[in-house]
Amino acid sequence: MKHYIRAAGGAVLGLLAMACGDGGFTPDPGVRTEDAEAVDLENLRILVTGEARVFPEAEGSAAAPASLTGMALTVEEPLRVAVNDAAATFATGEVSEDGAFRITDVPVRDVHQGLAVGLAHEGLVRSTTLVYDTAFTGTRPRTDVIDAHAWALPIAFVDQLGAAVGAPRLQGHTGDPEATLASAGFVLGRVVDLNGQPVSGARVALNRADLADRVYYPSGDLTSVDTAGTAAHGLFLFVHSGAGASSFQLSVEGTDTYVPRNVDVGPGLGVVLTVYPGRYAP
């Protein structure tokens, strides 16, 4: 007989098993076991904690909110959000005075691709930040998600990125001369190294060739984009079509140390993710 336990420490999550009879833990490989506690896999509910902040490149700008205190948060699945599934939201909470959030009793039995923390507020683009990806484990979350980040994207900052892409490209991708980056939907990602530092010169690859021309790399000052590779900040941008939903996997070219990531995006949604090597966030 096995009992399942939940690891309250560690950024990447997994299933732990406690062997009966010897009184010790026998964890699956690669799983951290700090502060483990029993969970019920038949009605699994996890804890999601972390910090909500304005996206670093937008901090200090006139458009950035002075504080996120009191803003509503949603724990959700981006795939379900992208297809307007009424069951996309699993739990809700709010940002505390120090920017922290703590959302309990998050039911994850029906997660398919991943879990994210969403922000929607006046002055911000509707965004969702990936905090768990089934690409790492092949399963839904079975342990707490702790020390996560939820990034707020000021409208003016996203408009700046849209201006860098340019109206002709936006119209080419959406077919709409009035399209903005926010209305089209987008993915804003950052490639980092093992220490969490941005990687310059990186290129991301999608497993769908029909979407490859939608990937851009903002310049260091965010005033233009190219298709050569990341600047010093490590950022990349995927522009959605403004219609329906797109699902694909994203990896980093020229290396197998980055696990291919699941990405789902729809109109009016900004998906934020950090792409790091290995299976544990820096």
Side-chain angles (χ1 to χ4, degrees):
M1 176 180 178
K2 287 185 176 180
H3 301 286
Y4 294 95
I5 59 177
R6 175 166 63 200
V12 174
L13 314 166
L15 179 63
L16 307 179
M18 181 167 62
C20 295
D22 60 6
F25 295 124
T26 307
D28 288 341
V31 173
R32 297 172 180 173
T33 60
E34 303 97 318
D35 303 321
E37 62 181 70
V39 298
D40 177 6
L41 287 184
E42 296 304 315
N43 185 30
L44 181 57
R45 292 171 181 268
I46 68 170
L47 170 71
V48 179
T49 69
E51 181 183 20
R53 286 179 48 195
V54 174
F55 196 74
E57 278 68 23
E59 285 182 332
S61 69
S67 172
L68 303 182
T69 301
M71 288 190 185
L73 293 163
T74 53
V75 179
E76 59 197 11
E77 177 157 24
L79 173 61
R80 292 178 175 231
V81 175
V83 298
N84 296 313
D85 186 340
T89 298
F90 299 135
T92 60
E94 66 176 39
V95 183
S96 66
E97 289 186 4
D98 60 356
F101 60 85
R102 179 183 178 88
I103 305 175
T104 60
D105 295 324
V106 180
V108 293
R109 185 171 185 173
D110 296 324
V111 168
H112 298 290
Q113 296 269 58
L115 202 62
V117 177
L119 277 166
H121 196 271
E122 183 179 356
L124 301 179
V125 167
R126 170 71 167 94
S127 65
T128 193
T129 305
L130 285 164
V131 299
Y132 181 89
D133 192 338
T134 61
F136 289 111
T137 63
T139 66
R140 66 185 185 274
R142 295 180 178 179
T143 59
D144 293 338
V145 176
I146 64 171
D147 297 333
H149 284 94
W151 297 113
L153 303 178
I155 291 174
F157 169 68
V158 174
D159 286 345
Q160 180 183 6
L161 292 176
V165 173
R169 291 191 184 101
L170 288 173
Q171 181 176 355
H173 292 313
T174 64
D176 179 3
E178 303 299 322
T180 65
L181 185 60
S183 66
F186 61 93
V187 178
L188 177 61
R190 191 189 309 273
V191 181
V192 301
D193 62 20
L194 282 170
N195 297 313
Q197 297 303 304
V199 176
S200 64
R203 289 176 51 85
V204 297
L206 312 186
N207 68 340
R208 290 182 52 183
D210 59 313
L211 301 178
D213 66 342
R214 297 176 177 271
V215 177
Y216 299 98
Y217 303 95
S219 61
D221 59 4
L222 307 180
T223 60
S224 63
V225 297
D226 62 36
T227 58
T230 56
H233 47 47
L235 296 181
F236 63 89
L237 187 66
F238 171 87
V239 181
H240 184 50
S241 66
S246 290
S247 295
F248 52 89
Q249 283 201 326
L250 178 150
S251 57
V252 177
E253 287 185 359
T255 175
D256 58 2
T257 60
Y258 291 80
V259 175
R261 304 290 295 275
N262 292 313
V263 181
D264 305 285
V265 60
L269 180 64
V271 178
V272 186
L273 77 158
T274 302
V275 183
Y276 47 83
R279 295 179 179 272
Y280 297 101

